[in-house]
Amino acid sequence: MRCTQRLPAAFAVAGLVAIGLPASAVAAPGQCANPSGTYTGEVPWGQRLVDPARLWPLTRGEGQLVAVIGTGVDGQNTQFAPGQLEGGAGTERSDCDGRGTIAAGIVGAQPDASTTFAGVAPGVRLLPIRYTEGSGSSASDGGGGDPGALADAIGTALDRHASVVLIAVPAAFDSPQLAGAVSRARSEGAVVVSAASATQQGARTYPTASSGVLAVGSVNPAGEPVQTEAGDYLGVAAPGAELVSTSAGAGGAVAHRWPVTDPGLAAAYVAGVAALVRAYHPNLTGDQVLTRLTLTAHRPPSGRHDPRLGWGVLDAYAAVSSTLPADVAPPGAAPAPASAPAVVPAAAPAPATSDLAAGTIALAGVALAAAAGVTVAAVRRARRRNWRPSRFTP
């Protein structure tokens, strides 16, 4: 049943705490999300970390269709460009729960003079698909729904030729239908990005834990993991706490929710960068895009895979602009590297000054020192092609 009542300025907290969800992320059962206002503060930290504007002279994601699968997207928020949200069979341009609209904004909201918030890839088109109402579900799935319905939603995205499929609200359980949908997406070259958002210790979400899916963990401004879900299937991490993004219930205005803490939203940052990669490297397969995103991430302090951070924190600039051997192996496919990384950045505008928290800076420094992104096997293959490594310049 679709909810129609909207909250006052603040969310009702009690019902959300009971299911383990952050109060600022979704609407309480029986009520609908509404904006905090129009955000006019400093550029949000997650946006500073990803720094998409540095890449916009290279690509803004034009030509890419990103499916946002979850609770729908409120098409009345005018930070989405006219025509940016696709319509037609299987789409939903309303969003009582709110998470779909927040995720879509992180992916593709337009720069606007009234706010400092903007999406990662404003050139993309967005395909809003609802498979669950979201709020009021069990703790383990973070408000997700039936895996069969999610499989159908992925099928709709593929039928519409989505190049990136963002699972903004994963399901608590796997199913043969869901596994089949993921297999189809991989065979058709789509990039499937899914959030690690289970709220019970030891629980998994799907298709996050499925093979061939880029599973995303989340970090706070200090670079610390904030989600409960963990495992060897985690690929990368991205901002998932104290976020700003577009709000449902905007009523024809530019409106936002903040601060939003929801590990599920980290996947939206990764999906946006995946769209930029696809637009700038149109000949890459979906698997090659996933390899590029994991290979160029800032490594965890250990230099190895971390069950909550994956192969490290997303590095959008390196993911888009680096030149890598075509057959470079994904992380973990061979013994740890013993030589310099095969990452040669393309020319791009100078980076914006960042005031990231010390923890995040430290994480990035360790990652650059570790240079754990490229395997020995990849370097040997590259040398056979007369390639020589050069120093990475951020």
Side-chain angles (χ1 to χ4, degrees):
M1 179 178 66
R2 184 174 303 172
C3 35
T4 56
Q5 181 181 355
R6 291 180 179 168
L7 289 168
F11 281 103
V13 176
L16 299 174
V17 173
I19 63 171
L21 294 171
S24 56
V26 301
Q31 298 176 308
C32 284
N34 76 334
S36 302
T38 299
Y39 182 79
T40 58
E42 65 177 346
V43 175
W45 81 269
Q47 191 172 322
R48 296 199 307 272
L49 178 65
V50 177
D51 198 9
R54 185 183 179 195
L55 288 164
W56 290 344
L58 299 177
T59 175
R60 294 164 64 93
E62 291 88 352
Q64 303 304 305
L65 177 63
V66 179
V68 181
I69 298 179
T71 62
V73 177
D74 186 353
Q76 294 189 56
N77 191 309
T78 55
Q79 202 166 356
F80 299 117
Q84 186 179 18
L85 267 64
E86 297 280 303
T91 62
E92 183 54 69
R93 294 166 59 91
S94 66
D95 180 16
C96 173
D97 176 88
R99 277 176 292 173
T101 305
I102 295 171
I106 290 171
V107 173
Q110 303 298 304
D112 189 281
S114 67
T115 179
T116 53
F117 168 76
V120 172
V124 303
R125 292 173 294 120
L126 297 166
L127 185 68
I129 302 175
R130 176 191 292 163
Y131 87 99
T132 176
E133 293 286 353
S135 56
S137 297
S138 67
S140 62
D141 70 359
D146 174 65
L150 178 52
D152 289 342
I154 294 173
T156 298
L158 298 176
D159 290 343
R160 298 288 295 271
H161 307 294
S163 57
V164 178
V165 179
L166 166 60
I167 312 299
V169 184
F173 306 101
D174 201 3
S175 72
Q177 297 96 324
L178 183 54
V182 170
S183 178
R184 177 190 167 191
R186 192 174 186 183
S187 69
E188 294 184 8
V191 175
V192 180
V193 182
S194 187
S197 57
T199 58
Q200 291 182 352
Q201 198 70 38
R204 295 184 173 193
T205 51
Y206 292 90
T208 312
S210 302
S211 177
V213 172
L214 184 54
V216 181
S218 56
V219 295
N220 63 18
E224 302 163 337
V226 297
Q227 89 280 2
T228 301
E229 185 173 349
D232 59 6
Y233 52 90
L234 265 288
V236 294
E242 302 176 36
L243 306 179
V244 177
S245 189
T246 46
S247 177
V254 171
H256 306 96
R257 284 296 305 175
W258 78 87
V260 176
T261 294
D262 183 348
L265 297 173
Y269 275 107
V270 177
V273 175
L276 294 178
V277 170
R278 301 221 78 160
Y280 196 63
H281 301 277
N283 294 325
L284 292 182
T285 66
D287 285 347
Q288 288 172 330
V289 172
L290 266 60
T291 295
R292 175 176 283 266
L293 290 167
T294 52
L295 203 61
T296 57
H298 292 298
R299 289 294 174 262
S302 67
R304 300 184 297 273
H305 184 274
D306 183 279
R308 297 175 72 195
L309 294 172
W311 291 102
V313 176
L314 179 71
D315 185 335
Y317 177 68
V320 173
S321 67
S322 297
T323 300
L324 303 177
D327 58 352
V328 64
S339 56
V343 177
V344 183
T353 301
S354 173
D355 60 349
L356 297 177
T360 302
I361 297 175
L363 177 62
V366 171
L368 289 174
V374 178
T375 64
V376 171
V379 172
R380 288 173 178 170
R381 284 193 294 271
R383 285 173 176 168
R384 288 199 296 268
R385 293 169 172 76
N386 297 319
W387 169 88
R388 294 182 179 180
S390 64
R391 183 176 299 276
F392 175 79
T393 304

